[in-house]
Amino acid sequence: MATVKDLVEDWIEIRSTLQRQLEMLESGQMQTGTHLSDTTMRETIVRIKTWIGELNALLKEYARA
């Protein structure tokens, strides 16, 4: 059975992965294999930033538990 500590550790790992992906997308280092429009790329970046923000909120709430 997972504990809150297990969840927090998973969230930290997921956030780190998303931060690396965001950095690669913003720097143009990520090769998608297909051409993405600028609009799609911007929307993807915004979506990832939102996910990171949501993970930060979860960590803020549950990391002290």
Side-chain angles (χ1 to χ4, degrees):
M1 174 155 41
T3 65
V4 171
K5 183 180 180 213
D6 294 329
L7 289 173
V8 167
E9 289 173 3
D10 288 346
W11 294 334
I12 290 169
E13 186 176 329
I14 293 165
R15 182 183 63 180
S16 294
T17 299
L18 287 170
Q19 288 170 329
R20 284 191 304 274
Q21 291 175 351
L22 178 62
E23 184 179 310
M24 290 189 318
L25 282 169
E26 289 182 324
S27 69
Q29 293 175 353
M30 181 170 278
Q31 300 298 319
T32 61
T34 60
H35 177 71
L36 295 178
S37 70
D38 288 341
T39 301
T40 301
M41 186 66 74
R42 283 191 305 273
E43 289 171 351
T44 301
I45 288 170
V46 167
R47 198 171 289 122
I48 291 173
K49 286 180 177 181
T50 299
W51 294 337
I52 291 169
E54 290 174 359
L55 285 167
N56 284 336
L58 284 169
L59 288 166
K60 183 177 181 182
E61 183 173 345
Y62 289 99
R64 10 173 201 186

